[in-house]
């Protein structure tokens, strides 16, 4: 079997696979969408709420690298199916949570399934498309992810939640839908021979497909010691700190400033919409002009400006504009940190899953700390400004790391 399929079927496979990311983000951010209600229902402190909101990123830290290695070896078809089934089942369990421990445990399980989606989709694209054609399909699955996030804030909380009877039924049925989709994807992947194409598409030998300690150690050494990739890891860490910190707490922050739950959800959906604009436009412009590293610098600075505006502005157009700028800034970073590893010398399509796993294994330390820092600092100060200020500083760190990448390795 050849490694590539015709373009129409390849794009169709990416679109179907993307639904796994859409379901994941709906499930993931159903908690932040209902965070204020869940805090009251389960009696959570601000710190506990921050820990739960950051629990999915926390899961990535110990298992992301291993998950990436597994995805590289068994292929994206079965990996994506397993990930969806895991997080769907965990979401059903989360609907029955009775307190902080049970809510945390179920949310951590969602994180386990999420790793397979995060690394499986870049791997799917690398299997179906040559390296110079991965930009558009990568944007497709990232737009799908943003659609899931926006949907839970714009429709899940204000429409489906009341219709179904609250956050518990919404969690339950979203989990059931995810499980049904996971079974559907498994059938599609088998029919298209996704995993059978994996080795041929990446010129893999027996060692590349082996889960033996020697083969894994060989690839891990190459990835972990790659200097340019290490700088991408810094960018990824700051990106995830900004993204998860902002998306997890913005609805609650807006409610604290006087917005209704529905209006806060709609405002947060605009953050995600701006994120989509960044996802679609930034990599396209950067690739056309050959300025990916410069784009990293610009997006970091834009995110800092937006977050500074969220801190300093009250309700109104200035706050809206600041939210949109923030979303565009960190949205542009998302596809760039995924697009750079496959083009790096020594990484390529063969080790895309492992490289992205490395980025997220370290990066999700930032993803976990973002929500936790905002919640903890709020407990101590009674204000969201200190936590948001740290997120703004993270944007400056992105700009510095992007500058080092640009001047040391070029601006390709």
């Amino acid at each position: 079997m050849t490694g590539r399929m015709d373009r129409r079927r390849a794009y169709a496979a990416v679109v179907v696979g993307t639904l796994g990311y859409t379901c994941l983000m709906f499930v993931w951010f159903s908690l932040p969408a209902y965070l204020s209600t869940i805090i009251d229902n389960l009696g959570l402190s601000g710190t506990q709420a921050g820990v739960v909101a950051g629990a999915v990123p926390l899961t990535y830290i110990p298992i992301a690298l291993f998950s990436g290695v597994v995805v590289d070896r068994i292929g994206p078809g079965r990996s994506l199916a397993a990930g969806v089934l895991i997080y769907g089942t965990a979401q059903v369990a989360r609907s029955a949570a009775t307190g902080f421990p049970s809510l945390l445990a179920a949310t951590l399980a969602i994180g386990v399934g999420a790793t397979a989606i995060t690394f499986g989709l870049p791997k799917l694209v690398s299997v179906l498309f040559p390296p110079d054609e991965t930009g558009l399909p990568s944007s497709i699955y990232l737009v799908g992810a943003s659609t899931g996030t926006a949907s839970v804030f714009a429709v899940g909380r204000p429409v489906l939640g009341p219709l179904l009877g609250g956050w518990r039924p919404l969690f339950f049925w979203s989990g059931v839908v995810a499980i049904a989709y996971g079974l559907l994807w498994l059938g599609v992947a088998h029919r298209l021979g996704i995993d059978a194409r994996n080795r041929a598409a990446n010129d893999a030998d027996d060692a590349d497909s082996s889960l033996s300690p020697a083969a894994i150690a060989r690839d891990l050494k190459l990835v972990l010691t790659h200097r340019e990739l290490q700088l991408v890891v810094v960018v990824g860490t700051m990106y995830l700190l900004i993204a998860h910190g902002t998306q997890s707490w913005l609805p609650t922050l807006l409610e604290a400033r006087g917005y209704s739950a529905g209006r806060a959800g709609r405002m947060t959906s605009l953050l995600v919409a701006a994120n989509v604009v960044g996802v679609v436009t930034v990599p396209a412009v950067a690739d056309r002009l050959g300025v990916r590293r410069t784009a990293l610098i610009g997006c970091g600075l834009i995110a800092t400006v937006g977050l500074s505006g969220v801190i300093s502005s009250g309700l109104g157009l200035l706050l809206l504009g600041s939210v949109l700028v923030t979303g565009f800034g960190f949205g542009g970073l998302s596809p760039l940190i995924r697009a750079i590893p496959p083009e790096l010398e020594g990484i390529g399509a063969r080790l895309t899953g492992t490289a992205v796993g490395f980025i997220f294994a370290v990066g999700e330390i930032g993803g976990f700390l973002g929500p936790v820092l905002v919640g903890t600092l709020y407990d101590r100060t009674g204000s969201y400004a200190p936590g948001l200020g740290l997120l703004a500083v993270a944007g400056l760190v992105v700009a510095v790391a992007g500058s080092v990448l640009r001047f040391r390795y070029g601006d390709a």
Side-chain angles (χ1 to χ4, degrees):
M1 179 177 291
T2 59
R4 310 292 180 192
M5 63 175 67
D6 67 82
R7 290 173 61 86
R8 176 178 293 183
R9 295 182 74 194
Y11 274 107
V14 171
V15 170
V16 177
T18 292
L19 295 176
Y21 220 159
T22 303
C23 290
L24 170 63
M25 301 312 282
F26 188 99
V27 165
W28 185 330
F29 285 97
S30 60
L31 178 75
Y34 267 102
L35 189 58
S36 60
T37 301
I38 293 172
I39 288 173
D40 291 338
N41 287 174
L42 301 184
L44 304 180
S45 67
T47 299
Q48 287 176 327
V51 169
V52 174
V56 174
L58 178 65
T59 311
Y60 279 68
I61 298 170
I63 73 169
L65 192 56
F66 177 74
S67 179
V69 170
V70 172
V71 167
D72 274 335
R73 282 160 166 75
I74 71 172
R78 287 169 292 173
S79 298
L80 288 170
V84 175
L85 293 174
I86 291 170
Y87 76 67
T89 302
Q91 177 75 336
V92 172
R94 193 159 68 165
S95 71
T98 57
F100 174 68
S102 56
L103 183 64
L104 177 61
T107 305
L108 289 171
I110 289 174
V112 174
T115 63
I117 311 303
T118 303
F119 315 136
L121 283 166
K123 185 66 176 180
L124 177 67
V125 169
S126 76
V127 168
L128 299 180
F129 296 88
D132 59 348
E133 296 181 17
T134 59
L136 179 57
S138 296
S139 293
I140 289 173
Y141 68 71
L142 289 171
V143 169
S146 296
T147 300
T149 307
S151 295
V152 74
F153 289 115
V155 180
R157 171 68 192 266
V159 179
L160 294 180
L163 183 65
L164 293 172
W167 67 273
R168 291 186 186 276
L170 178 70
F171 282 23
F172 175 82
W173 286 111
S174 59
V176 169
V177 169
I179 292 170
Y181 164 77
L183 296 174
L184 172 66
W185 167 254
L186 187 61
V188 170
H190 177 74
R191 182 175 180 81
L192 294 177
I194 297 296
D195 291 336
R197 300 174 187 272
N198 183 38
R199 290 182 61 193
N202 294 290
D203 297 321
D205 57 24
D206 290 339
D208 297 328
S209 300
S210 170
L211 286 171
S212 69
I216 293 174
R218 178 200 65 182
D219 290 344
L220 288 179
K221 180 179 179 181
L222 193 156
V223 169
L224 297 178
T225 59
H226 199 289
R227 293 299 180 87
E228 191 171 358
L229 183 61
Q230 289 170 352
L231 285 169
V232 181
V233 169
V234 173
V235 174
T237 302
M238 296 301 103
Y239 153 70
L240 290 164
L241 186 138
I242 295 169
H244 292 306
T246 305
Q247 291 178 155
S248 294
W249 281 102
L250 183 61
T252 304
L253 178 151
L254 294 174
E255 289 182 44
R257 290 188 180 181
Y259 278 4
S260 66
R263 191 177 181 189
R266 288 189 292 272
M267 177 74 86
T268 305
S269 71
L270 292 177
L271 172 80
V272 181
N275 176 84
V276 171
V277 175
V279 165
V280 173
T281 60
V282 170
V285 173
D287 286 352
R288 182 180 295 271
L289 300 178
V291 290
R292 280 183 174 176
R293 276 65 170 181
T294 298
L296 290 176
I297 300 169
C299 287
L301 294 176
I302 289 170
T304 296
V305 171
L307 286 163
S308 299
V310 172
I311 294 170
S312 60
S313 59
L315 303 181
L317 291 178
L318 182 58
L319 177 60
L320 172 61
S322 298
V323 168
L324 294 176
V325 169
T326 301
F328 180 86
F330 72 74
L333 293 173
S334 179
L336 291 175
I337 64 174
R338 291 168 170 86
I340 291 175
E343 70 180 13
L344 298 180
E345 183 178 355
I347 302 297
R350 185 179 72 84
L351 292 176
T352 293
T354 306
V356 177
F358 178 34
I359 293 171
F360 279 84
V362 178
E364 288 295 4
I365 296 174
F368 170 70
L369 287 178
V372 172
L373 287 173
V374 174
T376 300
L377 290 173
Y378 176 79
D379 278 347
R380 298 197 173 193
T381 67
S383 171
Y384 292 106
L388 293 177
L390 288 177
L391 303 187
V393 171
L396 297 179
V397 176
V398 169
V400 171
S403 298
V404 176
L405 275 167
R406 176 186 175 188
F407 291 112
R408 182 176 296 176
Y409 299 104
D411 204 9

